[in-house]
């Protein structure tokens, strides 16, 4: 009951609601930017490891390009990285590449 009385006596409750929404919006934007910067960093590291010949990185990078996750969707780049992984001896990458060639799309 005290809480209800407090809010009834409180002046300018709209101002507090606006302030709370503003604080939430700032928090949300900050964390969203932080998340996407982290994803960008992950893709950068995947490129570096994939170029060095790490098969798992090549396959993960190909999946990201195929799905368009944190990178622009590109069937050509996905096929390129699946092919590199398949040549390195990854049977899963070979399977994905064969499926892409059969469908002729990502």
């Amino acid at each position: 009951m005290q809480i209800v009385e407090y809010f009834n006596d409180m002046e300018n409750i709209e101002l507090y609601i606006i302030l709370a929404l503003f604080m939430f919006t700032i928090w949300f934007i900050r964390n969203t930017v932080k998340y996407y910067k982290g994803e960008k960093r992950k893709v950068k590291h995947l490129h570096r490891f994939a170029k060095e010949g790490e098969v798992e990185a090549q396959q993960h990078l190909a999946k990201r390009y195929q799905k368009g996750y944190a990178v622009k969707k590109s069937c050509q780049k996905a096929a390129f990285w699946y092919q590199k992984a398949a040549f390195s001896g990854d049977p899963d990458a070979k399977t994905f590449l064969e499926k892409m060639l059969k469908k002729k799309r990502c």
Side-chain angles (χ1 to χ4, degrees):
M1 242 6 198
Q2 290 177 350
I3 295 173
V4 174
E5 290 173 9
Y6 176 73
F7 282 117
N8 285 337
D9 293 339
M10 198 170 154
E11 294 179 14
N12 298 326
I13 192 168
E14 295 88 8
L15 199 58
Y16 288 107
I17 292 172
I18 290 171
L19 180 63
L21 286 173
F22 178 74
M23 296 295 285
F24 173 77
T25 305
I26 296 298
W27 171 83
F28 184 79
I29 291 171
R30 184 179 153 270
N31 284 320
T32 302
V33 168
K34 191 176 179 182
Y35 172 78
Y36 282 108
K37 281 185 179 180
E39 288 299 313
K40 187 177 177 182
R41 191 177 320 115
K42 285 179 190 176
V43 171
K44 184 178 176 182
H45 290 303
L46 273 176
H47 268 282
R48 188 183 75 199
F49 292 132
K51 286 178 183 177
E52 290 175 359
E54 190 173 314
V55 178
E56 190 174 328
Q58 291 170 344
Q59 186 174 4
H60 283 293
L61 193 56
K63 281 186 183 180
R64 281 184 180 259
Y65 277 117
Q66 185 180 11
K67 303 290 183 188
Y69 182 64
V71 293
K72 187 175 179 183
K73 188 174 180 177
S74 171
C75 293
Q76 289 179 333
K77 289 182 180 180
F80 172 79
W81 287 112
Y82 275 134
Q83 186 178 26
K84 294 266 284 189
F87 284 152
S88 298
D90 186 14
D92 293 335
K94 188 175 182 181
T95 306
F96 282 120
L97 191 59
E98 288 172 354
K99 285 181 186 177
M100 283 180 67
L101 291 174
K102 278 185 184 178
K103 289 194 258 181
K104 297 195 179 191
R105 61 187 167 102
C106 287

